Amino acid sequence: ESAVLRARAALAPDGVDRMLVDAERAVALELPGSYWHTQAALLLGAAHLANGTEQEALRWFEHAAQFSAEHQRPGASTALAELALLAADRGDWPMARTYHRESADHIAAGRLQSYMPTLLCHLAGARVALQRGEVDRTRAELQAAVALYETPSSAAFPWLTVQAAVLLGRLHLD
């Protein structure tokens, strides 16, 4: 049941309201310490973000990062990148840098450089670099994000596709 709910939450075939319901049920089934808890918590954070409940999104991204284990690096790195982006939105640049660095560390340790959701880490890195006036680094992070956005197809995760498209547009304009 949890696997089906996590897949439905990730794909959101019935919209973001249903994504939230499916992710909430998946988290209820995958308690902290279970193999799939981090992914379920990440999806619940993403569902809250898509539904406009940013404080709840923050809570679940923190939860996903906190309860991750070595085998859950993909979910943890994505949750940390989401936290970096939310910190940047608040203008909390020290936390944005810290979360971005932690996300990048998980990616390096797990050899997740070609993992599509890693693009959020690159987008967070671009925001941090831009804020620091590091134009070359900003461009490099954007190029890496675009490469992951295009190949493999980001359509596998519609919620991530939309979020990334908006961030890519804003960062390119900036």
Side-chain angles (χ1 to χ4, degrees):
E1 182 181 0
S2 171
V4 169
L5 290 164
R6 283 182 282 111
R8 285 180 49 82
L11 297 172
D14 298 318
V16 295
D17 291 336
R18 183 62 196 202
M19 177 187 182
L20 183 60
V21 171
D22 291 337
E24 285 173 337
R25 179 70 181 133
V27 165
L29 292 170
E30 296 292 348
L31 301 176
S34 73
Y35 191 85
W36 293 106
H37 179 74
T38 295
Q39 184 187 47
L42 167 67
L43 289 167
L44 184 52
H48 277 292
L49 191 62
N51 278 283
T53 49
E54 189 174 301
Q55 283 305 112
E56 282 298 303
L58 180 67
R59 175 177 162 233
W60 285 103
F61 291 142
E62 287 173 344
H63 191 83
Q66 178 183 5
F67 288 99
S68 67
E70 187 174 318
H71 66 274
Q72 297 162 325
R73 288 189 193 278
S77 65
T78 305
L80 288 161
E82 292 281 17
L83 289 169
L85 292 165
L86 288 170
D89 287 346
R90 293 188 311 273
D92 187 349
W93 295 105
M95 284 309 299
R97 284 190 295 277
T98 298
Y99 284 133
H100 171 255
R101 191 171 29 255
E102 289 178 17
S103 176
D105 289 347
H106 274 286
I107 290 164
R111 298 184 183 137
L112 302 171
Q113 291 82 356
S114 62
Y115 179 71
M116 196 277 282
T118 296
L119 75 95
L120 287 180
C121 182
H122 289 298
L123 292 171
R127 288 201 64 194
V128 167
L130 185 62
Q131 188 273 333
R132 297 181 87 165
E134 299 170 352
V135 177
D136 289 340
R137 182 167 167 234
T138 301
R139 286 187 179 128
E141 292 280 14
L142 283 172
Q143 287 174 341
V146 167
L148 288 169
Y149 185 83
E150 293 174 343
T151 309
S153 172
S154 57
F157 300 98
W159 60 270
L160 183 59
T161 301
V162 172
Q163 182 183 10
V166 170
L167 289 168
L168 281 166
R170 287 181 182 161
L171 281 161
H172 276 100
L173 286 173
D174 291 343

